[in-house]
Amino acid sequence: MQKAWLILFLLWMFLPIRVLAGQQQYEPLSDAVRHALAAAVLDRSPPEPLFVSAAHRNYWLNDMSARLKQKIPNDMLRNDLIKTARYEAQRAGLDPQLVLALIEVESGFRQYAVSSAGARGLMQVMPFWTRVIGDGNPSTLFNMRTNIRYGCVILRHYLDMEKGDLFRALGRYNGSLGKAEYPNLVLGALQRKWQVPEWVEVATTR
């Protein structure tokens, strides 16, 4: 029974997914921007997310783990993913809850997902990014931390391009700038499933 469950889980992880609307588009980058993005991708500091207190850490990790358990039953994989997502989001100056919502919309938390357009992994990163700011090896996009690192760096880049306009930055991330469907899906997932109540942040800082 356990073996059959494992086979079904692996099949689910490798199933191709449908692209909701387009994909990230290649745009020429200035040398300064390209070097800055490359440096952000290559940094290999230990993935230790920040919390305001031990109580906040315990609450957040347990809460996110419970929300994700149906998608990723394996405790070690699930906890590794949520800690990595928080660390990489903080590192890029993003809301960790937003990053989790984006992963849900992009891949349904399937680490080895490949779209019909060729986007790869949890955050559905297009392979051209590895040539532009990485080592040129697109297979690394199936590594959990590498994929989330790229995804967060790219979304931060688009936010900077759009002067903090999250709606437009999400459109760029999906290659559907000017269309509302994709940003609404991500923001809807954020509000519906991944947002943390404000009272929790206050209570766990004490």
Side-chain angles (χ1 to χ4, degrees):
M1 185 71 179
Q2 187 175 8
K3 186 176 180 181
W5 175 88
L6 179 59
I7 292 171
L8 288 173
F9 177 70
L10 289 173
L11 286 172
W12 174 81
M13 287 287 284
F14 282 90
L15 279 174
I17 66 170
R18 180 177 66 89
V19 173
L20 294 169
Q23 66 274 347
Q24 296 144 10
Q25 303 294 317
Y26 173 76
E27 300 176 72
L29 304 175
S30 70
D31 286 344
V33 170
R34 183 168 54 81
H35 289 314
L37 292 176
V41 166
L42 290 174
D43 176 41
R44 289 296 173 188
S45 303
E48 287 298 327
L50 300 175
F51 297 92
V52 294
S53 68
H56 182 221
R57 181 183 190 279
N58 292 336
Y59 181 93
W60 190 88
L61 290 175
N62 290 333
D63 186 28
M64 294 305 110
S65 181
R67 298 185 196 196
L68 191 52
K69 189 169 185 177
Q70 189 174 1
K71 291 281 189 182
I72 306 178
N74 183 282
D75 290 345
M76 185 173 68
L77 292 177
R78 184 173 67 253
N79 291 330
D80 195 19
L81 188 150
I82 59 178
K83 285 195 290 187
T84 299
R86 183 178 179 91
Y87 172 80
E88 295 297 343
Q90 290 176 328
R91 187 176 168 279
L94 302 171
D95 178 3
Q97 313 307 133
L98 171 67
V99 171
L100 289 168
L102 189 148
I103 293 173
E104 179 177 324
V105 171
E106 283 288 346
S107 67
F109 291 95
R110 296 175 184 177
Q111 182 174 348
Y112 301 100
V114 179
S115 76
S116 58
R120 300 183 177 197
L122 290 161
M123 295 188 73
Q124 288 293 279
V125 177
M126 291 296 289
F128 74 78
W129 283 108
T130 64
R131 298 191 300 273
V132 176
I133 60 174
D135 61 5
N137 181 5
S139 67
T140 61
L141 295 176
F142 291 124
N143 174 275
M144 180 192 65
R145 186 182 174 197
T146 300
N147 188 277
I148 297 176
R149 167 70 56 85
Y150 270 95
C152 289
V153 167
I154 293 164
L155 181 56
R156 177 76 261 170
H157 168 59
Y158 288 147
L159 263 174
D160 292 342
M161 285 181 67
E162 295 296 341
K163 297 179 172 56
D165 188 325
L166 179 58
F167 196 88
R168 287 181 59 84
L170 288 171
R172 281 191 181 277
Y173 189 91
N174 182 247
S176 57
L177 182 61
K179 298 179 181 178
E181 181 186 10
Y182 179 80
N184 284 339
L185 283 170
V186 175
L187 296 175
L190 172 63
Q191 294 171 1
R192 186 175 61 255
K193 184 170 181 180
W194 295 105
Q195 196 67 272
V196 175
E198 194 170 314
W199 67 264
V200 170
E201 299 291 341
V202 174
T204 55
T205 60
R206 296 172 181 172

